[in-house]
Amino acid sequence: MKSIKLPIFLLFIFSFFCNEAGADEPDSAYIFAYTTHKQNNTAGLHYAWSVDRENWFGIGPEFRFLASDFGRWGTQKKIINPILFQDEEGLYHCLWTLNDDVGQFAHAASEDLYQWKRQSYPQVMGNGNVLNLEVSSDKKNNRYLVTWESEIDGELKRFKTTTTDFKNYSETTGIIKDKRLGLRETVRIDGELQTGTVKKISWKTIDGLIKWYEWSQFHSMERADNMRKDQERFKDLRKVDASIKLIPERSKKISDKLVGIFFEDISYAADGGLYAELVQNRGFEYALSDKSGNDPSWNSYKAWSLNGENASFKIDSVSPIHENNKHFVVLEIAEIGAALVNEGFDGIAVKEGNRYDFSVFAKIMEPKKGKLLIRLTDENNKVIAETRTKSIATTWKKYEAVLTVNKTVDNAKLEVVPEFNGKVALDMISLFPQNTFKGRKNGLREDLAQAIADIHPKFVRFPGGCVAHGDGLHNMYRWNRTVGPLETRVPQRNIWNYHQSAGLGYFEYFQFCEDIGAEPLPVLPAGVPCQNSGTCGHGQQGGIPMAEMDEYVQEVLDLIEWANGDKNTKWGRIRAEAGHPEPFNLKYIGIGNEDLITDIFEERFTMIFNALKEKHPEIVVIGTVGPFYTGTDYEEGWDIATKLQVPMVDEHYYQPPGWFIHNQDFYDRYDRSKSKVYLGEYAAHLPGRPNNIETALSEALYMTTLERNGDIVEMSSYAPLLAKEEHINWAPDLIYFNNTEVKPTVGYYVQKLFGQNSGETYIPAEIQLSENREDIKKRVAVSVVQDNATNDVIVKLVNLLPAEVNANLDFTDINIADSEAGLTVLKGKPEDKSALPSTTKISVDSEFEYKLPGYSFSVIRIRTNSIKNTD
Ligand code: AHR
């Protein structure tokens, strides 16, 4: 897609400058490619140029033309001692050392030295690192020779491999005698000595690098555009007049799934959040390894304590309820009265008069029988609810009881009190409100689920985000480990540094979708983990071994049988046993989450995609094109999608408001014959990461462009959705919450207004402003859709100017059925985080006036009989 991504006027400037060297410019010059040790070697590849090989001019200087994508974010993505050379066909190659411990080096190629193709990290050493790389052309044998040094037992030893294509390498062999080629030299740039490689190349290429840098600067400037500058920029602007005329004859069908939600278990969105379980660590499966940073309290005992004397408890794992749920607690009571206490997730919030379902797996060890007293206590240890189990048997059994609470408490505790002296084993100690969303057992928190449902999302994407592909191969989210009885599910470490119980698993996600009338959109790993993984090697180091890929492909196919298969099929039966004999009617499946596009990725993605295409052509497969709106993963991801004819791709971009303002034509320029787009993750990010009127209005502005391009943009979802106060991994989010409150953001209201006011027909509108300034024109937007179910015509108007816009709306071609229309307005100061939309009525006619307040988003919903000329 690359060639059509530059704004048109910039393309013009760029190509004008790039074409021919000026009369006084050289045909060729020297380019120097180097890195510095700054930012711990993560600052990337830089260039300087020279005509005489003595006086060097840094481009940027120290602009990053290439970044490594090896390993975890931050400290690991290094480029050390790069070597740049050009092959016979003119393609540039860069090889570099990744760090001083892995037996791999990195390779990337480029035609122009600024747009780099996918990276690869060949494993050339079993033991030992790869330092001081050199590469030379072995013309006689039509191949390249790559040599390096490796520290082995304190000594530097030499090794080599050969390659013809920088994809396949011969077996590594040691070099006994070898002269190093000495390919690097040291030059002075801006007073500092730098070491790198020098090449003579065409001036046109160097000029291209300079222009690329300049374009990047311009682009950064646009991105940095913000509303703080408005005071000065629009200081003389009093008001703007706008005339808006509908053009029904150019109406087009657009997606009926444009607004959905992105759900990821990030910032305690699932356990302790949407999943209504009130007991933390109910299965005693928390483990030190859930979290980085060695938190010694994060273990099987987490959230549990004893209240009372002459008692003890310890974690055991011999003869558990199920092998997937190994740990349980053994409570020993020498004197009746002591309780095993759970503190919940930041306390347990309960409401007076409400009923709560308690359950536990238990087996008594001494004596032979006895009951458990179950109670809830308040902050002063006063009992606010109490019940009893039946007598506990000597083998594992599930016991259930109901607690009715007599006082509203935000910070209650759950107590399990054996009514006998002796020993009892307990596991899966659980407490759920009976008032879950739609009253589902093992259900969702009602207020949070309702806030999500109120968006009227047309689909729900789950389980992530990065949670989907996981932190290393062993942390991928495997759907089939999250279905079936709770005690048999496989809990695991959450990539966001906590624990996933899998209580909110695939069944619950699908059930929720059905409950809110949204399409389920599961995203499964493409056989590779997150490229930023911190465990099992460095990032996306190999995917699932090819020998195991057939099994993995089958696992993906099994999901479709589980969701859509008859209840007599193997997986359909498991769904039916969980309480859903009818198929879920799954239509979409995402493969991969903003993965690094490598050969390893492509091989595995292609296998999965081809199998899905062959066995389930009815399923819309959604591919992935990296974490940005541009760059290598975006380009290469799109290339794969085009080559394989993947029906849809998942794009992600988190950008400042300025980007959204200056890229409103992003999808206008998309090729309509290629894959459709799911804008799966996006949000406007300002420094400090607030969710305020400035971010919300820039999102609203951009969403009008999504509607305009609803013929190609099929779906979109703001990300992330939920974040629990005190546990925020990422900001901004759409909805913040704590145990008792739901706190929707201004961005939430934008999503809700779009979700509740969607349409399947887009009616173009011509907008003419009294001001002809580009910066003013970019800040006023209109989008008109018709909701086919009601015939309502919905007008969305966004004003990012501090001044009012007096709009005259020409609706001559609309047969208005009711002269009173609904009007909802969200407005505020740019930094306002608490503005609420207000709803009133407005009189409408074939021509009517409406004043868009400064910094506002307005939705006018008009009842119509029909529209002339839309067929
Ligand atoms: O939305 C938060 C994270 O952003 C997602 O997990 C990941 O896909 C993206 O980088």
Side-chain angles (χ1 to χ4, degrees), residues 131-145:
L131 309 173
N132 306 323
L133 281 154
E134 290 197 333
V135 60
S136 56
S137 166
D138 172 3
K139 288 204 177 113
K140 202 166 93 203
N141 294 305
N142 215 7
R143 63 186 186 181
Y144 302 96
L145 178 68

Side-chain angles (χ1 to χ4, degrees), residues 307-326:
N307 182 11
E309 307 288 313
N310 297 322
S312 64
F313 73 107
K314 65 176 184 4
I315 302 296
D316 201 348
S317 58
V318 179
S319 305
I321 328 172
H322 192 274
E323 58 179 20
N324 291 343
N325 179 10
K326 286 208 168 57

